[in-house]
Amino acid sequence: MADKQAVLEGTVERITFRNDDNGYTVLRFTPDTASPSGKIADGRGRDYEPVSPAGPGVSSRSLFASEPVAAPVTVVGRFPAVAVGERLRLRGRWVQHPQYGRQFSSEKYTVLAPATAEGIRRYLGSGLIRGIGPALADRLVRRFGADTLHVIAEAPQRLQEVEGIGPQRARAIADGIKQQKAIQGVMVFLQGHGISAAYATRIYRVYGQDAVAKVRDDPYRLAADIPGIGFKTADRIARSVGVDKDAPRRLAAGLEHVLHDAAQRGHVCVARDDLLEQAAELLEVDATTLSAVLDEMIAGRRVVVEAAGEETAGGLRELIYLPWLHRAESELAAGLRRLYEQFPPLRVVGRPWQADELIARTERETGLRLSEEQRRAVAAALEHGVFVLTGGPGTGKTTILRMVLACLEQAGEKVELACPTGRAAQRLREATGRSARTIHRLLEFGPVEGEGFRFQRNEQRPLAADAVIIDEASMLDVSLAHHLVRAIASGTRLILVGDVQQLPPVGPGYPLRDIIASGTVPVARLSHVFRQAEQSLIVTNAHRILQGREPVCNRPDGDFFFIECEDPDQVAATVRDLAMRRVPGFIKGDPIEDVQVLSPMRRSVTGVDHLNELLQASLNPPSDGKPELPVGAGLLRVGDKVMQTRNNYEKAVFNGDIGRVEKIDQENGVVSVRFPQPEGPQVVQYEISEADELALAYCITVHKSQGSEYPAVVLPLTTQHYVMLQRNLVYTAVTRARRLVVIVGSRRALRMALAGVTDEPRASRLAVRLQRFGVGEVVR
């Protein structure tokens, strides 16, 4: 039962949990002992008059205003992005949670200026002021105390009284405070709509001095421009600044949001009726009103419509595309047709060669020996402009790839090797002995003056290559595949290598599967598992999993083990012990570099977030001389294994890249991370305000592991993961391991996964376009 409404003021000590989708957050919060009324909050929602220990007549408010109580309290509510160290005024009620006990449920909050020396120290060290980290913040406050902010703003020359600060740095700190004052106007405006200081800083960084005007003019642009802000938050701001429920711009933004949301779930297009139905539910309006707005969007080319060629009660079924996805899909189909049709015969030293002759010669010179199935695959790769090679582990894809490379080199052709991710490119380099790059680096993705970031290889400046080979092609989404094909000149062969039984790409579409399904280009489907590979239970069990059969486990000399455990807490403890001690000892490897824990999902006791906490504490515990920084709901420590969680084009690191924290500069608030790349290690620096792009990676989701390979994989599998339990998920996890797989969990969860084959089909017309070898007709 909830108490009457109460007010708390205090400081955010720790973020225990945050749902980035809706902003729901659990905080550890230290209240000030004095409330704004001069009464003291007792931690149960009741205020009482303080009695001064100095005796009657002495102001108790002056004694208590800057004194925190001993124990923080738990606060729950919607805080889209509050930061540790921020001071808040909360309005809400004390409630009794059946599992977690008494906690404060916040209904509204306001960010306050820090009022104490400790609050100022945490504020300055939070990363909001560029160039000030926790260590420098501590020195500033130790010198100036509660007057620190006043000194920075009014007498910045005095900052030179602090060791390590010269005139230039003092000016930079003062400028940082001035910039924060400029941001204050943005903060005041946004905080009235439930947006915190951290997001206000991001908005200011993108929009500058025009932030308030731009947000007022089109609040829906926030969802597209600012990472972490979704449509519902933008819609809440829009409604509060006066956008009517039935306003055409709100309805259009809602329709676009449904299309973007569908793209995030893998769909390239959405059927018109489905789009209207989903948008009507989201916006709480009538679908008829939305239909008229959609027609206007089609007329204005904000979206593209195509007839699917299927009859419905109302005529031909229509599919709605975002323009960039329509262009990507249609131009990808046309580009593949161009490469397939405009391909010259293979020539060696100026004369045509038969593929069989070249293969035989290469076998003699390299010592490689092919099976008949492999020989046919190599011949098809040499004879066609577009070729697909697909198959599971142990079926000889790498052997075929090596032979194709050797044959092309015999023919004097220049070959480019690439993969969607850096880790996959490193694997390809090790497997072939040739240079390999990420597709982004191959296509020279980077800044272009006046145009922002883009791929600099395209039809005007194609790749200088006779053949392009893409490994792990199952990870290609329709957009990246489109940019790749654009950059390949006619006459250059394209070879796609991948396993379509794995999880689909993170982005929209599934080009590899659609190309195979179209039946328009030659495809080699490898099914024979070679005897040497059969000796590995990893390979054997991968194929058993695809057939829905339980894996063979726990042979004394095997490489595949199942530890049965029902209790999720015990599963988590077992995973920690395996990763820390048992698996590294078994494979004689490094627990951080050679062991990767994979989980089907982020949340739950056996999910990524909780397991990372356990593994960080065990594998990289705190110690003297090992700097650390609070980031989001956790902290980063030197030596931590971390993952980049979103594409950062300026830093040239991408979603899924894994590295190690090499250095933390607490003085300036900078985190340095070393990312391995095929071309050599890359050290990337993050300011504190940017460090939320990093997440611990001792445990990652199976989806994030695509394209990677690890000496050992540990996979927790419990019924808590039931939403994600699919056959291809377990298959993908198992095939990430080279030397050892250990599954920890319940037999029931494993059987649920083996029975789970309800992979949602992705709405796309690429296969149809390839069958027609056309770009499709736009209805209107």
Side-chain angles (χ1 to χ4, degrees):
M1 183 175 177
D3 292 344
K4 65 180 181 180
Q5 192 172 65
V7 176
L8 286 184
E9 286 187 8
T11 304
V12 178
E13 298 292 338
R14 182 160 57 93
I15 299 172
T16 304
F17 170 78
R18 173 181 287 147
N19 184 329
D20 291 328
D21 295 331
N22 58 23
Y24 178 80
T25 306
V26 180
L27 307 173
R28 292 296 285 168
F29 186 81
T30 298
D32 300 339
T33 37
S35 71
S37 64
K39 298 179 180 181
I40 298 175
D42 72 351
R44 293 185 174 89
R46 298 187 296 270
D47 290 342
Y48 62 89
E49 292 291 347
V51 176
S52 170
V58 178
S59 169
S60 61
R61 182 166 177 80
S62 65
L63 291 170
F64 285 92
S66 62
E67 295 283 342
V69 296
V73 299
T74 297
V75 173
V76 297
R78 297 192 184 278
F79 302 91
V82 296
V84 170
E86 284 190 308
R87 190 161 177 267
L88 309 177
R89 177 182 293 129
L90 309 175
R91 296 183 184 275
R93 290 175 168 80
W94 290 94
V95 298
Q96 185 70 31
H97 190 281
Q99 181 177 355
Y100 299 111
R102 198 160 182 81
Q103 51 189 221
F104 190 81
S105 178
S106 175
E107 298 165 5
K108 185 178 181 181
Y109 75 98
T110 305
V111 178
L112 304 174
T116 67
E118 173 62 15
I120 292 170
R121 183 187 68 78
R122 300 195 70 169
Y123 170 75
L124 291 176
S126 68
L128 292 175
I129 311 299
R130 187 170 186 173
I132 301 181
L136 180 56
D138 185 62
R139 296 212 310 276
L140 286 167
V141 172
R142 276 194 277 116
R143 177 68 184 84
F144 301 114
D147 291 330
T148 302
L149 294 179
H150 175 77
V151 169
I152 295 174
E154 303 298 332
Q157 68 279 2
R158 288 195 59 199
L159 297 178
Q160 297 177 60
E161 298 172 19
V162 176
E163 181 185 356
I165 297 181
Q168 184 174 352
R169 194 168 189 186
R171 285 194 298 272
I173 292 171
D175 288 343
I177 288 289
K178 287 179 182 176
Q179 185 182 47
Q180 277 303 113
K181 286 188 175 181
I183 295 173
Q184 287 302 316
V186 180
M187 288 183 174
V188 170
F189 169 73
L190 291 173
Q191 284 164 18
H193 308 290
I195 302 298
S196 77
Y199 272 144
T201 302
R202 292 185 190 177
I203 292 168
Y204 184 86
R205 191 181 298 152
V206 173
Y207 298 148
Q209 298 286 354
D210 298 329
V212 172
K214 287 186 176 181
V215 171
R216 283 187 180 277
D217 179 61
D218 184 9
Y220 294 104
R221 68 190 298 171
L222 290 170
D225 295 345
I226 312 299
I229 293 184
F231 174 81
K232 290 185 177 179
T233 299
D235 190 43
R236 186 173 67 246
I237 296 172
R239 299 296 303 279
S240 63
V241 299
V243 177
D244 292 336
K245 182 178 180 179
D246 294 329
R249 63 169 169 160
R250 177 176 184 262
L251 304 185
L255 287 163
E256 285 187 333
H257 167 72
V258 172
L259 289 170
H260 282 289
D261 183 64
Q264 289 182 338
R265 291 183 286 111
H267 301 296
V268 182
C269 53
V270 178
R272 180 186 178 110
D273 291 345
D274 292 340
L275 173 61
L276 293 174
E277 181 182 345
Q278 293 172 37
E281 181 178 354
L282 171 73
L283 299 167
E284 299 179 338
V285 298
D286 183 75
T288 305
T289 306
L290 279 172
S291 184
V293 173
L294 180 57
D295 287 337
E296 292 178 6
M297 294 173 69
I298 293 169
R301 301 291 293 175
R302 287 182 65 176
V303 296
V304 177
V305 62
E306 272 196 11
E310 303 165 11
E311 289 286 347
T312 67
L316 284 177
R317 182 167 175 261
E318 292 184 343
L319 299 174
I320 309 298
Y321 288 80
L322 291 166
W324 64 275
L325 281 174
H326 182 265
R327 180 187 177 200
E329 185 180 88
S330 56
E331 291 188 2
L332 172 58
L336 289 168
R337 174 189 183 181
R338 169 178 57 81
L339 293 177
Y340 186 80
E341 292 184 344
Q342 299 178 25
F343 184 71
L346 182 71
R347 306 181 72 83
V348 179
V349 196
R351 67 183 182 85
W353 275 64
Q354 294 294 322
D356 289 343
E357 182 182 358
L358 182 55
I359 292 169
R361 172 179 166 178
T362 306
E363 279 186 309
R364 288 193 302 271
E365 295 188 3
T366 63
L368 288 170
R369 291 293 177 266
L370 302 179
S371 68
E372 188 56 37
E373 181 184 54
Q374 291 175 321
R375 188 171 285 103
R376 288 196 301 270
V378 174
L382 297 175
E383 292 170 349
H384 298 282
V386 180
F387 171 71
V388 174
L389 175 65
T390 185
T395 55
K397 293 194 301 294
T398 300
T399 299
I400 292 172
L401 196 52
R402 287 174 180 159
M403 177 58 76
V404 169
L405 280 167
C407 288
L408 294 176
E409 288 168 355
Q410 285 278 347
E413 293 197 358
K414 180 183 178 183
V415 183
E416 289 283 5
L417 294 172
C419 295
T421 68
R423 294 177 75 90
Q426 182 63 36
R427 283 179 54 209
L428 184 59
R429 171 180 284 197
E430 293 168 357
T432 62
R434 273 83 166 180
S435 175
R437 292 182 277 178
T438 64
I439 295 174
H440 278 77
R441 292 182 184 274
L442 176 70
L443 302 184
E444 299 177 16
F445 186 87
V448 176
E449 188 173 353
E451 299 182 44
F453 288 84
R454 67 170 175 83
F455 292 100
Q456 297 176 58
R457 291 285 185 176
N458 49 38
E459 52 271 87
Q460 281 79 43
R461 188 170 172 260
L463 294 167
D466 300 300
V468 176
I469 299 176
I470 304 298
D471 197 14
E472 296 290 351
S474 64
M475 298 179 67
L476 285 173
D477 63 26
V478 69
S479 178
L480 186 56
H482 166 233
H483 286 293
L484 172 69
V485 169
R486 283 181 65 195
I488 300 177
S490 299
T492 300
R493 76 183 74 242
L494 171 63
I495 299 172
L496 300 173
V497 182
D499 183 354
V500 290
Q501 303 296 340
Q502 292 186 28
L503 290 169
V506 175
Y510 200 161
L512 185 65
R513 181 175 290 178
D514 289 342
I515 291 168
I516 293 172
S518 73
T520 56
V521 301
V523 177
R525 296 178 178 86
L526 305 179
S527 57
H528 174 70
V529 179
F530 287 87
R531 182 175 301 172
Q532 184 176 359
E534 284 180 332
Q535 297 173 3
S536 167
L537 285 179
I538 295 175
V539 173
T540 299
N541 286 333
H543 291 276
R544 288 176 68 91
I545 288 166
L546 282 182
Q547 298 162 8
R549 300 162 64 197
E550 288 198 29
V552 177
C553 306
N554 302 344
R555 289 181 180 171
D557 58 346
D559 55 9
F560 200 108
F561 295 86
F562 183 87
I563 299 175
E564 191 163 1
C565 185
E566 295 290 338
D567 179 61
D569 289 307
Q570 188 59 44
V571 170
T574 303
V575 166
R576 175 176 58 182
D577 187 46
L578 285 164
M580 182 180 180
R581 183 178 61 86
R582 293 160 64 180
V583 170
F586 186 86
I587 65 171
K588 296 180 173 55
D590 181 84
I592 295 179
E593 292 295 332
D594 297 333
V595 181
Q596 184 62 59
V597 179
L598 305 178
S599 180
M601 61 195 303
R602 297 203 61 83
R603 299 182 180 93
S604 82
V605 173
T606 54
V608 168
D609 296 338
H610 182 243
L611 289 176
N612 268 320
E613 290 182 17
L614 294 179
L615 293 169
Q616 182 191 42
S618 300
L619 296 173
N620 190 30
S623 64
D624 293 339
K626 188 185 287 185
E628 57 187 40
L629 279 177
V631 177
L635 57 82
L636 293 180
R637 187 176 294 136
V638 167
D640 273 336
K641 186 177 184 178
V642 294
M643 173 181 283
Q644 175 75 17
T645 60
R646 66 176 67 109
N647 290 338
N648 188 318
Y649 301 119
E650 293 183 359
K651 298 182 186 298
V653 286
F654 302 97
N655 190 356
D657 287 351
I658 290 181
R660 296 284 293 274
V661 177
E662 186 175 78
K663 180 180 178 183
I664 291 178
D665 181 353
Q666 293 183 311
E667 179 86 3
N668 299 298
V670 176
V671 179
S672 299
V673 179
R674 178 179 292 270
F675 291 97
Q677 297 289 349
E679 301 84 2
Q682 172 189 13
V683 177
V684 180
Q685 293 188 333
Y686 299 80
E687 294 182 15
I688 298 177
S689 59
E690 303 171 312
D692 62 348
E693 296 184 10
L694 298 170
L696 293 176
Y698 300 101
C699 177
I700 63 176
T701 63
V702 178
H703 283 80
K704 292 287 190 182
S705 73
Q706 286 178 268
S708 299
E709 192 175 77
Y710 316 98
V713 163
V714 178
L715 175 69
L717 213 57
T718 72
T719 53
Q720 288 183 324
H721 305 145
Y722 72 93
V723 176
M724 302 295 297
L725 293 180
Q726 295 287 324
R727 192 179 295 174
N728 60 354
L729 181 137
V730 178
Y731 174 79
T732 300
V734 165
T735 54
R736 299 308 89 206
R738 286 199 303 268
R739 296 168 55 192
L740 180 68
V741 170
V742 183
I743 299 177
V744 186
S746 71
R747 290 280 179 188
R748 181 170 174 238
L750 177 60
R751 288 166 183 154
M752 287 171 65
L754 294 176
V757 289
T758 56
D759 191 26
E760 182 184 13
R762 296 192 164 197
S764 165
R765 283 175 56 78
L766 179 61
V768 174
R769 294 184 196 281
L770 288 171
Q771 288 165 348
R772 297 176 180 174
F773 275 128
V775 297
E777 287 194 350
V778 177
V779 176
R780 60 181 185 279

